[in-house]
Amino acid sequence: MPLPETQIPGRLQAYFSERGIRITQQRRAVLRVIETATKHLDAGQILRKVQRVDASVDRSTVYRTLQLLKRHGLIDELDLMHIRGEGHYYERKMNREHIHIACLRCGKITEFVTSTYDKLKQQVEKDCHFKILVSRLEVGGYCSACRQ
Amino acid sequence: MPLPETQIPGRLQAYFSERGIRITQQRRAVLRVIETATKHLDAGQILRKVQRVDASVDRSTVYRTLQLLKRHGLIDELDLMHIRGEGHYYERKMNREHIHIACLRCGKITEFVTSTYDKLKQQVEKDCHFKILVSRLEVGGYCSACRQ
DNA sequence: AGCGTTCTTGCGACCAGTTGCAACTCTCGG
DNA sequence: CCGAGAGTTGCAACTGGTCGCAAGAACGCT
Ligand SMILES: [Mn+2]
Ligand SMILES: [Mn+2]
Ligand SMILES: [Zn+2]
Ligand SMILES: [Zn+2]
């Protein structure tokens, strides 16, 4: 994941306190893990990282926090073509919307930004009279290396 | 779901026998359910429909058949923005790739076909040197009716 | 700082999806 | 039509995600 320079640690926590959403030790730990992630993490990975800070944190708390973040549009939920298992992956929502490209052979995930994607979404909004709040484009196939 | 006229019942079963994939009573039932579906079904709905034909069919068989169909590119797996629950939805793969648009308020699912989507995929293939086998674009937001 | 309200947590029970295994059944060749 | 062999099934056990509930923590107000 890009982890752009614009990503200030503590941003999620700031969002919470601005909105009067309670900050607990458990939530603080989850937010830290998500903010400092350098790749897409699934719920299990997030749980394990959180438990290295506080082993008593329950899995339901992590799931509830992920739901909260999702509801507020602070993270995106991805399938990444279910390369491994059938669970979901999470990433901090960034400035630029990007496409996820998953190689079905080596498992590499590539992110791709293009204005064509923005145009396509605008077209959907116009043609379907629909207000888009979330969107997700994922593709699976073979990367150049895996095609020899 | 469109259920286009080009959709001949028995097509999936024909595909199986052409390839020497065994056709069992259980698989036949699952294929029938998927071929005659008029909307996106989740695994639980498929299981219940199959069990109305043969009550002894186990859930693992349905899941395994769905995996088989997915592996052969005969069905697409969708999240539909997890409007209801967190499971996946399935649909027979059609001639035209389409976008799924989910209203987060009323739950309506709209399908949309546009050449812009094809162009975007071509661009990804070219710019990322990637061979696309599967793709999935889902958007969530509010439909015109739900915005008054 | 102490208090009360309200929200959050951990727990246990539950449900959905996966997997190893032994019993079964398809398919093909004879 | 039958039998052999490979592939498939149901089952049971397990894992991952959800939910109701009672105990516990956060935070605004004094
Ligand atoms: Mn999914
Ligand atoms: Mn569809
Ligand atoms: Zn690859
Ligand atoms: Zn709507």
Side-chain angles (χ1 to χ4, degrees):
Chain A
M1 216 164 23
L3 192 64
E5 320 68 31
T6 64
Q7 195 52 37
I8 299 149
R11 203 98 184 266
L12 293 174
Q13 186 174 327
Y15 179 98
F16 273 33
S17 50
E18 279 162 23
R19 309 270 170 144
I21 301 169
R22 273 186 204 177
I23 298 165
T24 61
Q25 292 305 316
Q26 295 88 335
R27 283 182 178 171
R28 212 189 309 276
V30 175
L31 302 191
R32 233 348 89 70
V33 168
I34 290 171
E35 276 175 336
T36 60
T38 57
K39 61 188 191 67
H40 306 96
L41 300 175
D42 64 27
Q45 294 171 314
I46 294 169
L47 174 63
R48 258 171 277 128
K49 279 175 187 281
V50 166
Q51 287 183 334
R52 287 175 46 185
V53 176
D54 178 352
S56 69
V57 176
D58 191 74
R59 99 195 116 104
S60 61
T61 301
V62 169
Y63 286 113
R64 285 192 275 234
T65 305
L66 288 172
Q67 285 176 136
L68 179 65
L69 289 164
K70 204 168 38 157
R71 215 178 314 128
H72 284 266
L74 297 170
I75 56 172
D76 273 325
E77 185 178 62
L78 308 168
D79 277 22
L80 300 183
M81 287 297 151
H82 294 300
I83 291 271
R84 264 183 47 207
E86 88 126 25
H88 291 125
Y89 294 85
Y90 299 91
E91 79 179 343
R92 179 87 178 71
K93 195 169 254 174
M94 300 301 179
N95 344 313
R96 294 294 319 245
E97 291 250 22
H98 55 263
I99 296 171
H100 286 95
I101 301 168
C103 177
L104 302 174
R105 191 165 164 280
C106 69
K108 192 175 75 174
I109 305 295
T110 309
E111 302 187 325
F112 181 60
V113 175
T114 170
S115 61
T116 315
Y117 187 35
D118 299 313
K119 282 204 218 91
L120 174 53
K121 285 189 293 182
Q122 279 166 29
Q123 192 193 332
V124 169
E125 292 206 317
K126 190 162 154 291
D127 293 5
C128 303
H129 310 287
F130 193 88
K131 174 65 188 159
I132 295 180
L133 296 180
V134 221
S135 75
R136 210 165 125 194
L137 172 54
E138 303 190 12
V139 318
Y142 295 115
C143 73
S144 51
C146 287
R147 277 177 295 148
Q148 275 80 332
Chain B
M1 218 161 24
L3 194 63
E5 319 70 29
T6 64
Q7 195 53 39
I8 299 148
R11 203 98 185 265
L12 293 175
Q13 186 174 327
Y15 178 98
F16 274 32
S17 51
E18 278 162 24
R19 310 270 171 144
I21 301 167
R22 275 192 199 171
I23 297 164
T24 61
Q25 293 306 317
Q26 296 88 334
R27 285 183 176 170
R28 213 189 308 277
V30 174
L31 302 190
R32 231 352 85 71
V33 166
I34 289 171
E35 275 174 334
T36 60
T38 56
K39 63 187 189 67
H40 306 98
L41 300 175
D42 64 28
Q45 293 172 314
I46 294 169
L47 174 63
R48 256 169 279 127
K49 278 175 187 282
V50 166
Q51 288 184 334
R52 287 175 47 185
V53 176
D54 177 353
S56 69
V57 177
D58 191 72
R59 128 187 90 103
S60 61
T61 301
V62 169
Y63 287 113
R64 285 192 274 235
T65 306
L66 289 172
Q67 285 177 120
L68 180 65
L69 289 164
K70 206 169 31 159
R71 213 177 316 128
H72 284 265
L74 297 169
I75 57 172
D76 273 324
E77 185 178 63
L78 309 169
D79 277 24
L80 301 183
M81 288 295 149
H82 294 301
I83 290 273
R84 263 183 46 208
E86 88 126 25
H88 292 125
Y89 294 85
Y90 299 91
E91 78 179 344
R92 179 88 178 73
K93 196 170 254 174
M94 299 302 180
N95 345 313
R96 294 298 317 246
E97 291 250 22
H98 54 265
I99 297 171
H100 288 96
I101 301 167
C103 178
L104 301 175
R105 191 164 166 282
C106 70
K108 192 175 74 173
I109 305 295
T110 309
E111 302 185 326
F112 181 60
V113 175
T114 169
S115 61
T116 315
Y117 187 34
D118 298 313
K119 282 204 218 92
L120 174 54
K121 284 189 292 182
Q122 279 166 30
Q123 193 193 332
V124 168
E125 293 207 316
K126 190 161 154 290
D127 293 5
C128 302
H129 310 287
F130 193 89
K131 175 64 187 161
I132 296 179
L133 296 179
V134 220
S135 74
R136 208 165 125 194
L137 172 54
E138 302 191 12
V139 317
Y142 293 115
C143 74
S144 51
C146 286
R147 278 176 294 147
Q148 276 78 333

